[in-house]
Amino acid sequence: RRSSRHKISTDDDVLSRREVAMSVGLLNSIFCLFGGMPNCHGAGGLAGQHRFGARNGTSVIFLGILKITIAIFFGASALTFFEAIPSSILGVLLAIAGAELGLTGLLLTFKDIHVSSPDSKTKLFVLMCTTVVIVGTGKTQYGVLAGLVAYVFYGDGFEEYKKLLQWARQPTPAATSEEMEDVTTHIEADEED
């Protein structure tokens, strides 16, 4: 029987943007002191590891220890071994990781979409435009541009852009401490959702 500390969650715990940013920032701050290259958590690698059964931090620790051990004991000869791995195997692993990320993205997209809602149809149209252009051209930046254009002309992007310009042109009065507390509380509540 497992203790409550090792209980498997039935719903996915979602990290906030702040938690991920703090984690990556702390990691890079420490490693840069030792001459390490800046890096991130790598969503593709994590998605692949999750797909193949990794469910907690132990798998990442094991992988790190394995990599360090290979580097220390085998050095350059390990490079020869890794170069001998066929590209098709790496391609299959990459496809599996990509499919896992894509499935997660689709599930999160369709979770809140109700087809009868005009707003949901707009979001779905922008999503499809972005996806088709990225897949068709193989260029993420073209897909992002196509999604922005679709949102501006098909959705409410133009009105939101005008509101943003009006807001940016307004002089900003100094906020009171009570207003700042309200804003902080609102931001923290959004991050919890």
Side-chain angles (χ1 to χ4, degrees):
R1 188 171 174 178
R2 292 178 173 235
S3 67
S4 62
R5 193 177 122 205
H6 297 290
K7 180 181 172 191
I8 296 175
S9 176
T10 55
D11 57 341
D12 291 334
D13 294 333
V14 178
L15 295 174
S16 70
R17 289 175 285 196
R18 182 181 202 159
E19 290 170 328
V20 173
M22 292 295 289
S23 172
V24 172
L26 183 63
L27 179 80
N28 286 327
S29 297
I30 292 170
F31 285 164
C32 287
L33 294 174
F34 298 102
M37 293 290 294
N39 57 62
C40 67
H41 290 298
L46 290 175
Q49 290 171 18
H50 185 270
R51 185 71 191 139
F52 286 108
R55 295 295 184 264
N56 55 38
T58 308
S59 60
V60 178
I61 293 170
F62 175 75
L63 182 61
I65 291 171
L66 182 67
K67 288 179 180 181
I68 291 171
T69 304
I70 289 172
I72 290 173
F73 291 112
F74 298 105
S77 61
L79 186 60
T80 306
F81 170 75
F82 289 126
E83 286 175 347
I85 297 174
S87 298
S88 57
I89 292 175
L90 298 176
V92 169
L93 293 174
L94 183 63
I96 290 170
E100 183 73 13
L101 286 174
L103 180 62
T104 302
L106 280 176
L107 290 175
L108 290 175
T109 300
F110 290 116
K111 178 180 171 184
D112 297 324
I113 289 184
H114 305 286
V115 180
S116 60
S117 165
D119 184 48
S120 296
K121 288 180 181 178
T122 301
K123 289 177 182 178
L124 190 58
F125 178 77
V126 172
L127 169 78
M128 295 308 293
C129 286
T130 305
T131 304
V132 166
V133 172
I134 289 174
V135 171
T137 63
K139 304 281 186 188
T140 304
Q141 62 271 29
Y142 295 158
V144 170
L145 184 61
L148 286 172
V149 169
Y151 184 66
V152 166
F153 290 110
Y154 188 75
D156 296 331
F158 190 68
E159 285 98 22
E160 288 185 20
Y161 180 69
K162 287 193 319 191
K163 288 179 187 175
L164 179 67
L165 285 179
Q166 290 172 353
W167 176 80
R169 290 181 181 158
Q170 291 178 356
T172 55
T176 65
S177 60
E178 291 175 5
E179 292 173 334
M180 290 303 292
E181 286 179 25
D182 290 343
V183 169
T184 306
T185 306
H186 181 68
I187 290 172
E188 289 172 354
D190 284 348
E191 287 179 353
E192 290 174 4
D193 290 357

